[in-house]
Amino acid sequence: MTCRMRLVDYVAAELERIGVRYVFGVSGANIEDLYEAVHRVPGRIRSVVAKHEFSAVTMADGYARATARLGVVAATSGGGAMNLVPGLAEAHASRIPLLALVGQPPTYQEGRGAFQDSSGKAGSFDALDVFAPISRFCARVTDPEAIPALLARAITVAQTEPRGPAVLLLPKNTQQGHLEVPLAVSGAGKAAQRTGAPHPPAAPQPDPACLAEAIGVLEEAPHVMVIAGEGAAGTRAREELAGLVRHLGACVAVSPDAKDVYDNRSPRFVGVAGVMGHSEVEDCLRRADACLLVGTRLPVLARGSLESLLTEMPVVCVDPEPPFVPGIPLLGPVADTLRALERRLSPRPPACPAHHPPSLLPLAPHSGSALGYTSVVGAIAEALPQDAHVFVDAGNVGAAVIHALPAPRGGRFVVAAGMGGMGYTFGAGIGAALATGRRTYVVAGDGAFFMHGMEMHTAIEYDAPVTFVILNNNAHAMCVTREELFQGGARLENVFHPSRIAAGASAMFPTLGVASAGDPAQLRSALLHSNDVGGPALVAMDLDHRETPPFQPFLTASATGAGAIVAPGHRPIQDEEKHTHDRPIHVG
């Protein structure tokens, strides 16, 4: 038997049936029907209204990274739809499974001067052309009867490797249209009775010839270096990674966006690879006979000055996509491939000396400043609960935290390394906190705060257990540092008048727990207090924008006194015909 129901009611019931708990977004005339349908669904699904659509996407992103489940965002047409773009681009680059439901004007107004028309008709741009390059699947739904197949397809593709966003464009009249559905899903209370939920298909396994070649390389290598990335953390392959590392007696480094993928306190852990990393990683790689990449393609941010070493040894890459360095690609699911390697490789004793913990770069405070990144990050480390999540924003502050803050043993340590957008953490931390109920630290500078820090209002509205740690150097400090090192001196536009972020937040939000710390001891005390607060809190502290962060291009330029970014052991290369691994490191 069948019955008729609205498209939006069908979508809301399906999302509830597959276990979606939150729909993040900002409502508007061309998406309000979906929000009304979500509100009517009894059960666990709930809408969360953000202050900005970019942050709504990052909330869905944080939800997905914390749970390894599908994140969902819904926004209206026009500017609301366009504000989704940078967040979806991050999810695409970082392979985060999201579903974006985007309202559109009614189809009968397309090409006739509709408000916020993006149909591609009569001179309007086509939203399909905007979203298709930053999604794994994108479709405009013009027939309500098509939604079961298109929704199932979108959900499946988003969760199939390489994972990423799927986008459905929903015209207003299509949302309100009706379709025939089995009686079992005519009411949300009966939705769970329906079978045939969209599940990702079985992932393709690595090519047998590549697998055999990789096993030969790893079997013959007495010393193996493992570099693990977000692809292992995001697919929950930590146990398989740890098992293979023990089996091979290998040492382990992590990419900057995956500090939580391996125990930072293990004697096998040698630190972060790449431009914000530790010297032990390069030392270990020099002694290795082969390198195994796990869940990372090793982009520039993660390889830094390691590229020349990697070209001199065999590299095996376990990832759904091929590596950015020459190597043997084992394209397939990370966890399954790691288990297959462990079964077929001979066990061996530990082959790397203990490194516990990785040494930190010398980061003394700037002359005239009483504070430095190392002492501040140390205070955060002492207060951080071991089951908390940490979301680290872009900039000099982010580089220091990635370098120096150990990942919590039981939580995520997330960096938006795909697009590196400032302000990502404010929404993402809220999404993770709501998803798991765990205390979540958002660590950001003032530049990121001024972009999307007003999402603390969202945290208050939904009582999310987020601690916003704002390290205020009153500048776009990474821009200032680049100007000083590479352009002959800092320009005034990136150094700001002083701001009192804690005082402003306290005045604006009387129920928000706010503290201003004057030294690391006060920072530690304020953070420990925030851990005991049920909802959100904000702790702000001033730093000196002139301090150089642990960012390899900056430190190299400072040491050489040159205005070019030169990798250790390399001369500046002017000839563009040189091999890429001979070129200076450039990270924007």
Side-chain angles (χ1 to χ4, degrees):
M1 295 178 63
T2 64
C3 70
R4 288 175 61 77
M5 67 188 303
R6 293 186 307 165
L7 179 146
V8 289
D9 294 320
Y10 176 85
V11 170
E14 282 293 285
L15 294 179
E16 196 273 339
R17 182 179 65 81
I18 66 172
V20 172
R21 291 178 54 201
Y22 294 99
V23 174
F24 302 96
V26 181
S27 189
N30 284 330
I31 200 66
E32 63 189 3
D33 297 284
L34 177 64
Y35 276 97
E36 187 261 347
V38 168
H39 180 73
R40 289 172 56 183
V41 173
R44 299 177 65 193
I45 192 168
R46 183 184 184 189
S47 61
V48 174
V49 178
K51 308 288 89 63
H52 192 281
E53 290 85 0
F54 169 76
S55 290
V57 181
T58 67
M59 288 177 196
D61 179 303
Y63 173 98
R65 295 198 202 217
T67 63
R69 298 176 66 92
L70 181 73
V72 180
V73 61
T76 193
S77 53
M82 295 302 100
N83 285 341
L84 298 174
V85 169
L88 293 177
E90 166 60 35
H92 183 276
S94 292
R95 302 184 299 198
I96 307 302
L98 300 184
L99 173 64
L101 303 169
V102 185
Q104 297 285 277
T107 57
Y108 54 80
Q109 291 183 355
E110 292 177 351
R112 303 183 62 212
F115 180 59
Q116 300 180 333
D117 190 358
S118 56
S119 65
K121 299 176 181 178
S124 65
F125 72 89
D126 193 338
L128 282 171
D129 294 337
V130 174
F131 290 108
I134 54 173
S135 62
R136 306 295 182 186
F137 176 78
C138 183
R140 179 180 278 113
V141 185
T142 57
D143 178 5
E145 295 289 348
I147 193 63
L150 289 175
L151 181 61
R153 174 71 173 157
I155 292 171
T156 297
V157 172
Q159 299 179 94
T160 301
E161 297 289 1
R163 303 177 305 163
V167 179
L168 292 179
L169 304 175
L170 304 173
K172 172 83 170 180
N173 57 323
T174 307
Q175 295 177 52
Q176 296 172 331
H178 289 74
L179 65 151
E180 295 287 334
V181 298
L183 189 60
V185 292
S186 62
K190 298 181 179 179
Q193 299 175 16
R194 186 172 182 266
T195 59
H199 292 291
Q205 299 300 308
D207 177 75
C210 290
L211 183 59
E213 183 183 4
I215 289 171
V217 164
L218 296 174
E219 194 69 57
E220 294 175 5
H223 302 88
V224 176
M225 169 84 173
V226 173
I227 303 178
E230 164 66 22
T235 58
R236 301 205 166 174
R238 293 180 181 86
E239 291 185 8
E240 290 79 4
L241 172 65
L244 182 60
V245 166
R246 287 192 301 270
H247 193 77
L248 295 177
C251 54
V252 183
V254 295
S255 61
D257 58 343
K259 284 197 77 171
D260 59 319
V261 76
Y262 193 81
D263 184 0
N264 291 189
R265 298 153 187 83
S266 168
R268 299 183 192 275
F269 179 69
V270 296
V272 177
V275 297
M276 291 168 277
H278 301 94
S279 60
E280 287 87 349
V281 176
E282 186 169 345
D283 294 341
C284 186
L285 191 61
R286 289 185 185 280
R287 293 192 297 270
D289 302 293
C291 182
L292 175 62
L293 307 180
V294 177
T296 178
R297 306 175 72 189
L298 213 65
V300 169
L301 199 69
R303 67 181 186 263
S305 62
L306 305 178
E307 190 158 1
S308 60
L309 294 175
L310 292 166
T311 61
E312 298 169 359
M313 69 175 62
V315 174
V316 174
C317 180
V318 176
D319 194 81
E321 298 180 282
F324 292 121
V325 296
I328 303 168
L330 299 184
L331 307 182
V334 173
D336 291 350
T337 306
L338 293 178
R339 285 192 292 265
L341 289 174
E342 184 173 354
R343 286 194 302 267
R344 297 181 60 177
L345 289 169
S346 302
R348 61 196 74 175
C352 67
H355 293 279
H356 184 63
S359 59
L360 302 181
L361 293 171
L363 301 174
H366 187 275
S367 58
S369 171
L371 301 174
Y373 286 129
T374 300
S375 60
V376 170
V377 175
I380 297 173
E382 291 177 5
L384 181 67
Q386 286 305 298
D387 64 346
H389 304 301
V390 179
F391 283 76
V392 184
D393 221 295
N396 282 4
V397 165
V401 173
I402 291 167
H403 181 80
L405 180 65
R409 292 182 185 273
R412 293 292 335 255
F413 188 107
V414 175
V415 180
M419 289 288 109
M422 291 177 65
Y424 160 88
T425 58
F426 292 91
I430 292 169
L434 291 176
T436 64
R438 297 186 191 179
R439 175 59 49 181
T440 299
Y441 276 31
V442 166
V443 186
D446 54 303
F449 174 82
F450 288 129
M451 288 188 179
H452 290 285
M454 284 302 103
E455 294 300 336
M456 60 185 173
H457 177 269
T458 308
I460 294 168
E461 290 295 304
Y462 295 90
D463 201 31
V466 181
T467 298
F468 300 102
V469 185
I470 311 302
L471 303 179
N472 180 10
N473 49 33
N474 291 298
H476 280 165
M478 185 162 276
C479 296
V480 173
T481 307
R482 293 188 66 87
E483 292 162 5
E484 284 283 358
L485 293 175
F486 311 128
Q487 296 185 332
R491 299 189 294 272
L492 293 179
E493 64 262 28
N494 280 317
V495 179
F496 310 142
H497 294 294
S499 57
R500 301 290 177 257
I501 291 175
S506 179
M508 187 177 294
F509 304 114
T511 63
L512 178 67
V514 176
S516 180
D519 58 47
Q522 292 179 7
L523 176 63
R524 175 182 177 275
S525 176
L527 293 175
L528 287 172
H529 177 72
S530 80
N531 296 342
D532 298 326
V533 175
L538 181 143
V539 180
M541 184 173 187
D542 287 349
L543 295 177
D544 194 319
H545 71 268
R546 295 167 295 178
E547 183 177 353
T548 302
F551 190 63
Q552 186 186 63
F554 292 173
L555 297 176
T556 302
S558 296
T560 61
I565 309 177
V566 185
H570 290 265
R571 293 177 293 103
I573 301 296
Q574 304 299 327
D575 186 357
E576 286 298 317
E577 298 302 314
K578 296 289 185 180
H579 294 298
T580 56
H581 65 268
D582 289 328
R583 293 175 183 163
I585 301 166
H586 174 75
V587 179

